[in-house]
Amino acid sequence: MFWTNPASIEPLRQHRWLLSNGDVWVWAKSVKPPSHTIETQKYQIGNHRLNYPGLLEWQDVNITIVDLTGEQEPFSNSRQLYDQLRVSNYDPKGDEDGISKSALAAGVKSIFTAGNAELTISQIDHNGERIQQWKLYNALIKDVTVGQLDYSSDELITIDLTIAYDHAELED
Protein backbone atom coordinates (compact mmCIF):
# COMPACT_ATOMS: atom_id res chain seq x y z
CA MET A 1 0.00 0.00 0.00
CA PHE A 2 1.17 3.53 -0.67
CA TRP A 3 1.12 4.63 2.99
CA THR A 4 3.75 2.04 3.90
CA ASN A 5 6.02 3.19 1.06
CA PRO A 6 5.41 6.89 0.18
CA ALA A 7 8.21 6.81 -2.42
CA SER A 8 6.11 4.39 -4.50
CA ILE A 9 3.73 7.13 -5.63
CA GLU A 10 4.32 10.28 -7.61
CA PRO A 11 1.88 13.00 -8.65
CA LEU A 12 1.42 13.51 -12.39
CA ARG A 13 2.96 16.76 -13.60
CA GLN A 14 1.67 19.16 -16.23
CA HIS A 15 5.04 19.57 -17.96
CA ARG A 16 5.72 15.87 -18.53
CA TRP A 17 3.87 14.70 -21.62
CA LEU A 18 4.33 13.72 -25.25
CA LEU A 19 1.99 14.04 -28.23
CA SER A 20 2.42 11.51 -31.02
CA ASN A 21 0.90 9.94 -34.08
CA GLY A 22 3.81 7.59 -34.66
CA ASP A 23 6.50 10.24 -34.16
CA VAL A 24 6.61 12.71 -31.27
CA TRP A 25 5.39 16.23 -32.10
CA VAL A 26 8.32 18.20 -30.67
CA TRP A 27 6.62 21.45 -31.71
CA ALA A 28 3.57 20.82 -29.50
CA LYS A 29 3.26 23.54 -26.88
CA SER A 30 0.18 22.46 -24.91
CA VAL A 31 -2.63 19.91 -25.04
CA LYS A 32 -5.89 19.41 -23.17
CA PRO A 33 -6.36 15.64 -22.64
CA PRO A 34 -9.66 13.91 -23.43
CA SER A 35 -12.66 14.50 -21.19
CA HIS A 36 -16.25 13.38 -21.36
CA THR A 37 -19.76 14.35 -20.32
CA ILE A 38 -22.58 11.97 -19.48
CA GLU A 39 -26.02 13.38 -20.06
CA THR A 40 -28.64 12.53 -17.49
CA GLN A 41 -32.38 12.08 -17.74
CA LYS A 42 -34.62 13.03 -14.81
CA TYR A 43 -37.60 10.88 -13.98
CA GLN A 44 -40.21 11.56 -11.36
CA ILE A 45 -41.73 8.73 -9.36
CA GLY A 46 -44.20 10.06 -6.81
CA ASN A 47 -42.41 12.73 -4.80
CA HIS A 48 -38.95 11.60 -5.88
CA ARG A 49 -36.77 12.70 -8.79
CA LEU A 50 -34.26 10.18 -10.01
CA ASN A 51 -31.32 10.75 -12.36
CA TYR A 52 -30.43 8.07 -14.88
CA PRO A 53 -27.35 8.15 -17.09
CA GLY A 54 -27.82 8.75 -20.80
CA LEU A 55 -25.34 9.11 -23.63
CA LEU A 56 -21.64 9.67 -23.12
CA GLU A 57 -20.10 12.43 -25.25
CA TRP A 58 -16.35 12.87 -25.68
CA GLN A 59 -15.26 16.52 -25.55
CA ASP A 60 -12.89 17.97 -28.13
CA VAL A 61 -9.14 17.99 -27.46
CA ASN A 62 -7.35 21.32 -27.88
CA ILE A 63 -3.73 21.33 -29.03
CA THR A 64 -1.42 24.32 -29.45
CA ILE A 65 1.60 23.81 -31.71
CA VAL A 66 4.35 26.15 -32.84
CA ASP A 67 4.46 26.95 -36.55
CA LEU A 68 7.91 26.25 -37.96
CA THR A 69 9.86 25.85 -41.15
CA GLY A 70 13.45 25.10 -42.03
CA GLU A 71 15.90 23.90 -44.64
CA GLN A 72 15.17 20.21 -44.00
CA GLU A 73 11.42 20.91 -43.65
CA PRO A 74 10.30 22.68 -46.83
CA PHE A 75 6.74 23.26 -45.59
CA SER A 76 5.58 25.00 -42.46
CA ASN A 77 3.14 23.28 -40.10
CA SER A 78 0.39 25.63 -41.29
CA ARG A 79 1.12 24.65 -44.91
CA GLN A 80 0.96 20.94 -44.04
CA LEU A 81 -2.42 21.47 -42.35
CA TYR A 82 -3.75 23.30 -45.42
CA ASP A 83 -2.41 20.64 -47.78
CA GLN A 84 -4.17 18.00 -45.67
CA LEU A 85 -7.50 19.64 -46.57
CA ARG A 86 -6.76 19.05 -50.26
CA VAL A 87 -5.96 15.38 -49.55
CA SER A 88 -9.31 15.14 -47.72
CA ASN A 89 -11.19 16.20 -50.90
CA TYR A 90 -11.55 19.90 -50.02
CA ASP A 91 -11.23 22.13 -53.05
CA PRO A 92 -11.32 25.92 -52.54
CA LYS A 93 -12.60 26.29 -56.12
CA GLY A 94 -15.59 24.07 -55.35
CA ASP A 95 -14.87 21.29 -57.88
CA GLU A 96 -15.16 18.48 -55.28
CA ASP A 97 -18.23 17.30 -53.37
CA GLY A 98 -16.97 17.80 -49.82
CA ILE A 99 -14.65 16.52 -47.15
CA SER A 100 -14.23 12.77 -46.68
CA LYS A 101 -14.24 11.55 -43.04
CA SER A 102 -12.03 8.56 -43.79
CA ALA A 103 -9.49 10.71 -45.65
CA LEU A 104 -9.51 13.35 -42.91
CA ALA A 105 -9.06 10.73 -40.14
CA ALA A 106 -6.24 9.11 -42.12
CA GLY A 107 -4.71 12.56 -42.53
CA VAL A 108 -4.45 13.12 -38.77
CA LYS A 109 -2.52 9.85 -38.56
CA SER A 110 -0.02 10.91 -41.21
CA ILE A 111 0.21 14.69 -40.80
CA PHE A 112 3.59 16.02 -39.62
CA THR A 113 5.07 12.50 -39.78
CA ALA A 114 5.40 9.39 -41.88
CA GLY A 115 3.69 7.34 -39.16
CA ASN A 116 0.26 5.78 -39.44
CA ALA A 117 -0.66 5.46 -35.76
CA GLU A 118 -3.60 6.84 -33.80
CA LEU A 119 -3.11 10.20 -32.10
CA THR A 120 -1.83 9.61 -28.56
CA ILE A 121 -1.22 11.81 -25.52
CA SER A 122 1.25 10.22 -23.09
CA GLN A 123 2.11 11.34 -19.58
CA ILE A 124 5.69 10.52 -18.63
CA ASP A 125 7.71 10.30 -15.43
CA HIS A 126 11.01 12.04 -14.59
CA ASN A 127 12.92 9.36 -16.53
CA GLY A 128 10.84 9.83 -19.68
CA GLU A 129 9.02 6.52 -19.18
CA ARG A 130 5.33 6.40 -20.10
CA ILE A 131 3.02 6.36 -17.06
CA GLN A 132 -0.27 6.46 -18.91
CA GLN A 133 -1.46 7.15 -22.44
CA TRP A 134 -4.66 8.41 -24.03
CA LYS A 135 -5.34 7.00 -27.50
CA LEU A 136 -7.84 8.95 -29.66
CA TYR A 137 -9.69 6.89 -32.27
CA ASN A 138 -10.74 8.37 -35.63
CA ALA A 139 -9.40 11.80 -34.70
CA LEU A 140 -10.39 14.65 -37.01
CA ILE A 141 -8.96 18.15 -37.10
CA LYS A 142 -12.14 20.16 -36.58
CA ASP A 143 -10.73 23.66 -36.22
CA VAL A 144 -7.41 25.33 -37.12
CA THR A 145 -6.62 28.83 -35.86
CA VAL A 146 -3.30 30.35 -36.87
CA GLY A 147 -1.79 32.81 -34.39
CA GLN A 148 -1.71 36.54 -34.85
CA LEU A 149 1.02 38.43 -36.72
CA ASP A 150 2.22 41.47 -34.77
CA TYR A 151 5.22 43.77 -35.32
CA SER A 152 5.30 44.72 -31.63
CA SER A 153 5.87 41.14 -30.40
CA ASP A 154 8.67 38.59 -30.67
CA GLU A 155 6.50 35.64 -29.58
CA LEU A 156 6.40 32.41 -31.59
CA ILE A 157 3.52 31.94 -34.03
CA THR A 158 1.25 29.20 -32.75
CA ILE A 159 -1.51 27.17 -34.33
CA ASP A 160 -4.47 26.08 -32.22
CA LEU A 161 -6.04 22.78 -33.28
CA THR A 162 -9.39 21.47 -32.11
CA ILE A 163 -9.52 17.70 -32.46
CA ALA A 164 -12.80 15.76 -32.54
CA TYR A 165 -12.71 11.97 -32.18
CA ASP A 166 -15.08 9.04 -31.85
CA HIS A 167 -13.78 7.74 -28.51
CA ALA A 168 -10.64 7.55 -26.39
CA GLU A 169 -8.98 4.87 -24.29
CA LEU A 170 -6.71 5.39 -21.28
CA GLU A 171 -3.90 2.85 -21.04
CA ASP A 172 -1.56 2.45 -18.04
Side-chain angles (χ1 to χ4, degrees):
M1 297 308 250
F2 75 90
W3 50 81
T4 60
N5 184 10
S8 69
I9 62 169
E10 178 183 353
L12 298 176
R13 304 190 187 253
Q14 289 184 0
H15 66 279
R16 293 183 182 160
W17 56 274
L18 300 171
L19 183 66
S20 172
N21 62 335
D23 291 331
V24 174
W25 294 16
V26 294
W27 49 85
K29 185 176 176 183
S30 66
V31 64
K32 178 186 155 275
S35 59
H36 64 275
T37 302
I38 299 173
E39 76 177 29
T40 58
Q41 301 294 326
K42 291 186 181 214
Y43 296 98
Q44 183 172 348
I45 300 176
N47 289 334
H48 300 282
R49 286 196 183 225
L50 305 172
N51 287 307
Y52 284 91
L55 298 175
L56 182 137
E57 180 180 357
W58 288 97
Q59 304 300 311
D60 294 341
V61 167
N62 298 312
I63 300 171
T64 300
I65 62 173
V66 175
D67 201 1
L68 53 91
T69 190
E71 293 178 14
Q72 271 66 29
E73 298 290 331
F75 299 109
S76 65
N77 284 341
S78 54
R79 181 65 195 189
Q80 290 183 61
L81 287 165
Y82 182 76
D83 288 347
Q84 190 56 47
L85 288 175
R86 305 266 322 196
V87 172
S88 302
N89 295 337
Y90 172 75
D91 184 5
K93 297 176 185 161
D95 295 337
E96 297 291 332
D97 292 336
I99 295 177
S100 163
K101 177 182 178 179
S102 60
L104 200 56
V108 171
K109 291 180 180 182
S110 64
I111 199 161
F112 305 131
T113 182
N116 195 22
E118 299 290 348
L119 190 64
T120 60
I121 302 166
S122 301
Q123 292 180 283
I124 57 176
D125 65 11
H126 63 281
N127 293 322
E129 299 294 323
R130 182 175 60 113
I131 299 170
Q132 59 182 214
Q133 174 176 280
W134 283 102
K135 187 179 283 190
L136 282 59
Y137 290 92
N138 295 323
L140 306 170
I141 298 176
K142 180 176 150 181
D143 185 45
V144 176
T145 304
V146 179
Q148 179 175 323
L149 303 176
D150 185 354
Y151 282 120
S152 66
S153 175
D154 62 350
E155 295 290 322
L156 301 174
I157 294 178
T158 59
I159 302 171
D160 294 320
L161 304 175
T162 302
I163 308 291
Y165 51 97
D166 290 342
H167 68 281
E169 287 183 3
L170 181 61
E171 302 168 348
D172 288 327

